[in-house]
Amino acid sequence: MIRKPAMAAAMCVLLSACNGSGGGTPVPTTDAEKEKLASDIATKISDPKMFDGMFDSVRASMMPTLSEICSTVAADKQAECTDKMAAARPAIESSMEEAMAQAKEMMPSLMQDMGSVMARVYTGEELAKMNDFYTSPEGKSIMAKQPKVMAEFMPMAAERMKGMQLDMMRKTQERVAEALEGVAPAPN
């Protein structure tokens, strides 16, 4: 009598090892199961602290760049530009805060969209292994450290891209001015 339950338990262990899940996340077998698992994974990797750190770094790196816009104007206009930028800074910062708040609000739905893509791109086995990793102590540790990585990386990336950003802003200003040349502003 004891042999049958022991044999059944042994078979379950053997089957579990054979299907590749090894006791971890069951491999999804339907598109709906893949979609759910992929969305769960995307949600796990979208830690709000990581995005806060990323957005804080972007904000911190952009404000000095905005101040340097005046270096792109004619020398005789730089003082006027600096004064105007100083006066506009609170409005610019407010606009950035609003945009970042909107972006943060969008993150859960964007992560769901990413889950849909992941469900199409990755196999069920890959998703199961990915989930096992992100729920492991190592995966959790990596995700906990990611905000620090982004906080250190974003200013470095912004510094390297500063010249390009200034050039892009200058070109954009020129092209907008050219496009609007001769267009009268709307009456108040």
Side-chain angles (χ1 to χ4, degrees):
M1 197 137 171
I2 292 177
R3 292 176 77 189
K4 285 187 182 180
M7 184 85 101
M11 290 298 288
C12 285
V13 169
L14 182 60
L15 288 173
S16 161
C18 290
N19 82 4
S21 68
T25 303
V27 175
T29 57
T30 67
D31 287 345
E33 289 173 349
K34 280 180 68 179
E35 179 91 26
K36 179 171 182 348
L37 181 57
S39 292
D40 289 347
I41 294 167
T43 299
K44 280 183 185 119
I45 63 176
S46 64
D47 180 355
K49 288 182 278 184
M50 180 176 67
F51 291 115
D52 287 345
M54 185 173 64
F55 287 125
D56 289 345
S57 295
V58 168
R59 181 185 319 104
S61 67
M62 282 186 71
M63 289 315 294
T65 302
L66 290 172
S67 300
E68 293 173 12
I69 288 174
C70 295
S71 68
T72 66
V73 301
D76 64 328
K77 297 286 186 182
Q78 286 184 1
E80 179 184 355
C81 177
T82 300
D83 291 344
K84 286 182 177 182
M85 286 301 295
R89 188 178 186 100
I92 293 168
E93 287 176 344
S94 175
S95 293
M96 287 175 64
E97 290 295 324
E98 290 171 17
M100 289 184 198
Q102 288 176 331
K104 285 179 188 180
E105 287 176 17
M106 293 174 67
M107 293 317 294
S109 64
L110 288 172
M111 291 302 104
Q112 291 298 310
D113 293 345
M114 185 168 81
S116 296
V117 173
M118 291 168 63
R120 288 191 306 275
V121 172
Y122 297 119
T123 66
E125 291 81 9
E126 290 169 330
L127 289 169
K129 293 292 185 184
M130 193 182 304
N131 191 61
D132 289 344
F133 172 74
Y134 284 118
T135 56
S136 73
E138 295 84 4
K140 289 177 183 177
S141 176
I142 287 170
M143 290 309 297
K145 293 174 184 174
Q146 196 62 23
K148 183 174 180 173
V149 170
M150 294 307 289
E152 289 185 35
F153 169 74
M154 292 303 286
M156 290 176 5
E159 183 62 32
R160 284 190 180 187
M161 297 176 71
K162 191 184 296 184
M164 181 193 72
Q165 289 174 328
L166 289 170
D167 190 48
M168 179 189 70
M169 288 176 151
R170 182 186 52 76
K171 287 178 182 175
T172 300
Q173 287 173 332
E174 289 171 2
R175 291 176 184 161
V176 167
E178 288 171 10
L180 295 176
E181 193 170 310
V183 175
N188 288 335

